[in-house]
Amino acid sequence: MQNVIGPPVREQDFVGRSQELAHAWSLLRDNHLLLSEPRRVGKTSLMHRLQQEAPSQGHAGAAYCSAAGLNDEAEFVARLCATVVCTPGFESVASAIADHRVAGLLGRIKKLGLGPVVVELAELERSKHGTLSEALRLALGGLPPGRPYLILIDELPVLLAALIEADRPRARRFLEWFRSVRQGPSTHANPVRWVLAGSIGLAPLTSREGWSSLINDLHTLPLGAMREEEARSLFDGLALAHHVPLSAADRDALLARLGWPVPYFLQLAFARLRGPNRVPPGPALPDAVVAALCGVESAKDFQHWWGRLDKELGPVGAQAAEVVLDACAADPAGAAASLLREKVAGFWGEGERERERSAMMEQLAHDGYLVFEPPRWRFRSPLLREVWLARRER
């Protein structure tokens, strides 16, 4: 078992989530899914596991496509088209696309590679004003009914946020097209099921724009932190694989000290038990691990939490969010909602204040910074609270 920090885990490195997987497969019989949980809880790892298990669940094909790094909807359509065609079980999609130039490019994927073909397909989509996107919609709708197909799309909200910033009406048209693709044909039952996820929330993003109706066909699947027994199993497996002496007492004390057991935090913590500067076993282990994670050398491991405040909330919203996080970090029990309202009241005009404040708090909750336990908001992760305090002190 590898001590994987950041990238998704696969095969034997994937631990737990049996209940979530069983629930996902049950829902996928009749629904498309939205994995709508905070970043770093293992959404991409779960998607890869679903793709791996799809054949045993009777699926004819399972394609995984990430929208990370894409600049516009044409690149998304091109990558999705090329990815689907390369995936076993979806071969009929290529033959269903009548455009000879597209078919020729798709036929050369093995020779040219996915990247060059995606570039050419994207240019073709732009020059022909949506011909490829319409052809792909029809081709997916023409997949034979009977056995189901699965398509997993990662990081779609990141692309959508960039589109909204560049051209809001165009972003809406893209979302409308994608909904029509998911709805499938009107002549027979849709054999394709979709799973969407991303490191920022699709639901808060569309809600802020007033577009929630464009994703109301997606059934939300909660993921959240690992269960206690799964977190223990992960630590035990890592300790055995890396020959790290970790007693049950030290393990449980560390888990209690970390609090919210998301896979990313567990992997980060275990990494501090390895190497020349490893934390030694004993009663001081939990505090020493947390102190190391709050140190300057660990700042990069949490930068993705702070770095996206501006992108997701805008400059004004990000400043207001920092005030909220400071207030909530001051006490492990958090801060009263009424106090937070007072602290951020001056950031917006009277006509927009409540809307913007509500959207900000929804985003902070969805992204895993805070949780509301009436009448107070507090940090969801005790570790993240301590890291935030250490960062603000530097």
Side-chain angles (χ1 to χ4, degrees):
M1 179 182 288
Q2 299 180 78
N3 185 194
V4 181
I5 300 172
V9 296
R10 305 176 192 235
E11 305 294 340
Q12 71 274 7
D13 296 322
F14 185 92
V15 174
R17 303 298 196 190
S18 57
Q19 292 183 22
E20 290 87 347
L21 285 164
H23 188 36
W25 287 122
S26 175
L27 291 172
L28 281 167
R29 294 181 192 137
D30 306 301
N31 302 278
H32 308 304
L33 298 186
L34 174 63
L35 303 184
S36 182
E37 285 295 328
R39 59 176 63 100
R40 299 298 189 179
V41 300
K43 294 186 293 292
T44 300
S45 297
L46 189 80
M47 293 175 90
H48 286 306
R49 191 66 165 198
L50 288 169
Q51 184 185 27
Q52 179 187 337
E53 291 185 357
S56 65
Q57 295 290 330
H59 284 66
Y64 170 85
C65 178
S66 174
L70 300 182
N71 297 304
D72 61 23
E73 66 275 36
E75 291 183 4
F76 174 78
V77 170
R79 182 178 289 180
L80 177 59
C81 184
T83 300
V84 166
V85 167
C86 286
T87 302
F90 287 92
E91 293 83 359
S92 64
V93 170
S95 58
I97 296 176
D99 188 295
H100 293 299
R101 186 176 169 193
V102 173
L105 283 170
L106 294 174
R108 293 160 62 201
I109 286 178
K110 289 184 180 178
K111 180 180 178 180
L112 298 177
L114 198 64
V117 169
V118 167
V119 171
E120 288 196 52
L121 285 173
E123 287 301 320
L124 189 62
E125 168 73 352
R126 295 187 191 101
S127 65
K128 291 201 170 187
H129 307 293
T131 301
L132 177 60
S133 56
E134 179 62 12
L136 179 60
R137 184 183 70 83
L138 294 173
L140 290 173
L143 286 167
R147 295 181 66 193
Y149 296 80
L150 184 65
I151 301 180
L152 307 107
I153 305 294
D154 209 354
E155 298 297 3
L156 184 75
V158 175
L159 172 62
L160 182 61
L163 287 175
I164 291 171
E165 186 175 354
D167 187 337
R168 188 174 181 274
R170 203 173 98 203
R172 182 181 173 91
R173 288 194 298 272
F174 167 68
L175 213 53
E176 289 170 343
W177 168 82
F178 193 35
R179 178 181 169 84
S180 73
V181 173
R182 296 194 305 273
Q183 287 177 330
S186 58
T187 54
H188 58 266
N190 184 9
V192 182
R193 291 289 174 266
W194 297 78
V195 179
L196 275 60
S199 54
I200 64 176
L202 182 61
L205 180 60
T206 52
S207 175
R208 191 162 61 242
E209 298 297 326
W211 299 345
S212 295
S213 62
L214 298 178
I215 64 164
N216 63 8
D217 61 318
L218 301 172
H219 188 104
T220 300
L221 176 68
L223 192 54
M226 301 182 83
R227 283 177 288 281
E228 191 172 321
E229 65 272 16
E230 294 175 338
R232 288 196 194 108
S233 180
L234 177 59
F235 268 159
D236 289 345
L238 288 169
L240 181 64
H242 297 277
H243 309 288
V244 171
L246 182 65
S247 68
D250 284 351
R251 176 202 65 197
D252 292 346
L254 179 55
L255 284 172
R257 184 71 172 80
L258 293 172
W260 194 47
V262 298
Y264 181 69
F265 291 167
L266 299 182
Q267 296 276 7
L268 278 177
F270 184 80
R272 296 331 186 254
L273 306 181
R274 302 174 55 201
N277 298 317
R278 63 185 177 272
V279 174
L285 181 145
D287 286 340
V289 168
V290 170
L293 292 174
C294 290
V296 174
E297 66 281 359
S298 297
K300 63 177 177 52
D301 297 321
F302 297 90
Q303 183 54 37
H304 55 272
W305 289 85
W306 327 127
R308 281 194 167 161
L309 287 175
D310 261 342
K311 290 183 179 179
E312 295 178 17
L313 298 171
V316 174
Q319 291 177 37
E322 290 189 353
V323 170
V324 166
L325 293 174
D326 282 340
C328 290
D331 186 332
S338 57
L339 174 65
L340 298 180
R341 279 193 179 89
E342 293 175 10
K343 284 183 172 291
V344 300
F347 282 94
W348 304 284
E350 187 173 344
E352 60 180 358
R353 181 179 300 136
E354 189 57 29
R355 183 185 71 251
E356 294 294 333
R357 185 200 63 80
S358 295
M360 176 192 66
M361 298 307 294
E362 181 183 0
Q363 193 75 52
L364 291 175
H366 181 277
D367 286 353
Y369 298 91
L370 303 178
V371 62
F372 186 49
E373 295 176 343
R376 304 176 72 83
W377 286 90
R378 66 167 178 83
F379 267 77
R380 178 178 262 188
S381 164
L383 171 63
L384 198 61
R385 171 182 169 269
E386 294 192 50
V387 171
W388 176 263
L389 287 171
R391 174 177 176 267
R392 300 297 271 180
E393 289 172 1
R394 288 197 285 270

